[in-house]
Amino acid sequence: ATQTTSTITLKWNKVAGANGYTVYRYDTKTKKNVAIYTTSNVNKVSYKVSKLTAGTAYTYKVAAFKKADNKKVYGTKATLKTATKPKAPSLTSVKRSTSKKVVLKWKKVSGVGGYEVYMSTKKANGYKKVTTVKGVSKVSYTKSGLKKNKTYYFKVRAYKTVNGKKIYSGFSKVKNITMK
């Protein structure tokens, strides 16, 4: 699957002998799989689900069917647990706390598992992850070991873990600071 903050594009393998496919989404309120798309085009092996909520987990199933006696006979349903991308956090401040430390603060993004902080000495490239901050509510990080008279650039992204896989937001806008 590929994700944006409001869409998930599902892809599956073509099933030999199938007459079509049905896509289901698990409804957490009714606790049932609800058919959201059916195609008789056996070459169409993807479907884009839209109007979804950012940073939200969804469970989909896809089943191939054959037509027999004017009825659809379904095969095994393949399951995919995934999520839309979270919204990007907003990096609100980067302030010196000492000559070798800075404190970064960002706005909380609901529904995420945590954040990753990246740093570079160049604005356009060279960013490396300096830490992972676990938990939705922890929205600050202190970076130490910085050098005097050097400029550092920071950006942050959020992530949500679904089925052991991290799904990332876009990055915040870059903020920089020159150490004195």
Side-chain angles (χ1 to χ4, degrees):
T2 53
Q3 305 90 350
T4 70
T5 55
S6 63
T7 68
I8 295 174
T9 301
L10 305 166
K11 294 178 184 173
W12 57 89
N13 293 326
K14 188 174 176 178
V15 176
N19 294 126
Y21 307 95
T22 299
V23 176
Y24 302 84
R25 180 168 52 220
Y26 183 74
D27 185 324
T28 55
K29 291 177 185 169
T30 64
K31 302 199 183 308
K32 292 182 180 178
N33 291 306
V34 178
I36 60 170
Y37 173 75
T38 297
T39 182
S40 293
N41 180 350
V42 295
N43 295 314
K44 179 138 173 71
V45 290
S46 69
Y47 177 66
K48 186 175 186 176
V49 187
S50 57
K51 297 181 182 176
L52 301 174
T53 305
T56 303
Y58 295 93
T59 300
Y60 294 96
K61 292 187 180 218
V62 178
F65 63 82
K66 289 185 178 188
K67 291 180 182 173
D69 298 326
N70 290 327
K71 292 183 180 179
K72 292 177 184 170
V73 179
Y74 286 91
T76 305
K77 293 177 184 168
T79 302
L80 174 67
K81 292 180 181 177
T82 189
T84 48
K85 285 185 175 186
K87 290 183 180 178
S90 175
L91 185 56
T92 55
S93 70
V94 177
K95 294 183 180 176
R96 277 185 302 280
S97 65
T98 69
S99 62
K100 293 183 180 181
K101 289 183 185 179
V102 294
V103 177
L104 288 79
K105 292 186 180 178
W106 56 89
K107 286 187 179 176
K108 177 176 141 180
V109 177
S110 61
V112 300
Y115 308 90
E116 292 182 348
V117 177
Y118 287 74
M119 181 182 83
S120 178
T121 54
K122 299 174 194 165
K123 185 176 184 178
N125 56 32
Y127 286 89
K128 291 192 173 147
K129 183 169 70 168
V130 292
T131 193
T132 298
V133 178
K134 293 183 180 178
V136 68
S137 297
K138 187 152 188 211
V139 291
S140 67
Y141 171 69
T142 301
K143 174 65 179 141
S144 58
L146 303 177
K147 295 180 180 175
K148 202 172 182 180
N149 299 321
K150 199 159 191 162
T151 301
Y152 295 91
Y153 298 86
F154 295 92
K155 60 185 179 178
V156 180
R157 70 179 177 178
Y159 68 87
K160 182 175 189 73
T161 305
V162 178
N163 232 21
K165 182 180 176 189
K166 284 184 178 177
I167 297 170
Y168 294 101
S169 73
F171 282 101
S172 66
K173 288 185 179 178
V174 172
K175 285 199 177 279
N176 68 294
I177 192 162
T178 301
M179 301 307 289
K180 296 182 180 179

